[in-house]
Amino acid sequence: MKKYELVSQEDEWGCGAACVASLLGVSYQKAKQLVETEKKRSVNDKPRGLELHHIAIALQNKGVKVIADWDPAAHHPDGSIVCIGGESRYKYEHYILKIPGGWM
């Protein structure tokens, strides 16, 4: 698998794992294992989904430089993982990954 390839979310609460998989160029299952190691439980276990630090630490452990930024107007370079939520299309928070040419 190559970096930024489309990765399907295989779990209801696995959007963060799918973003990590695409960014690292690994399978969804490998990325899920990485983030669940940080969460210390399944992505589907309560609290459901992932917190930012679960994703950040998993990426840092793989040598990815992580910067947290809460400026919604900021430019997002390829490789940015963004959490969206609130009154948007998604009832709960949802992670998306900036890839060349758009968002995944």
Side-chain angles (χ1 to χ4, degrees):
M1 172 166 218
K2 294 179 182 175
K3 185 175 184 172
Y4 300 136
E5 278 189 18
L6 180 63
V7 174
S8 295
Q9 176 180 330
E10 297 177 18
D11 294 275
E12 182 176 2
W13 298 90
C15 55
C19 290
V20 170
S22 183
L23 181 61
L24 295 178
V26 300
S27 70
Y28 175 85
Q29 289 301 321
K30 175 64 177 170
K32 180 180 171 183
Q33 180 183 39
L34 294 171
V35 295
E36 287 181 342
T37 296
E38 300 312 318
K39 183 176 179 182
K40 300 185 180 18
R41 59 180 58 97
S42 169
V43 295
N44 295 314
D45 288 349
K46 290 186 178 181
R48 293 187 175 124
L50 298 166
E51 297 292 331
L52 176 61
H53 65 277
H54 300 134
I55 295 170
I57 294 168
L59 290 171
Q60 286 176 332
N61 287 342
K62 289 297 181 182
V64 176
K65 182 178 180 180
V66 175
I67 300 171
D69 186 352
W70 283 263
D71 180 2
H75 166 74
H76 300 291
D78 292 341
S80 296
I81 296 176
V82 174
C83 182
I84 59 174
E87 297 298 320
S88 70
R89 170 178 163 185
Y90 300 97
K91 181 176 178 181
Y92 302 103
E93 283 81 19
H94 186 69
Y95 290 104
I96 57 176
L97 171 67
K98 177 71 167 70
I99 61 173
W103 292 90
M104 179 192 84

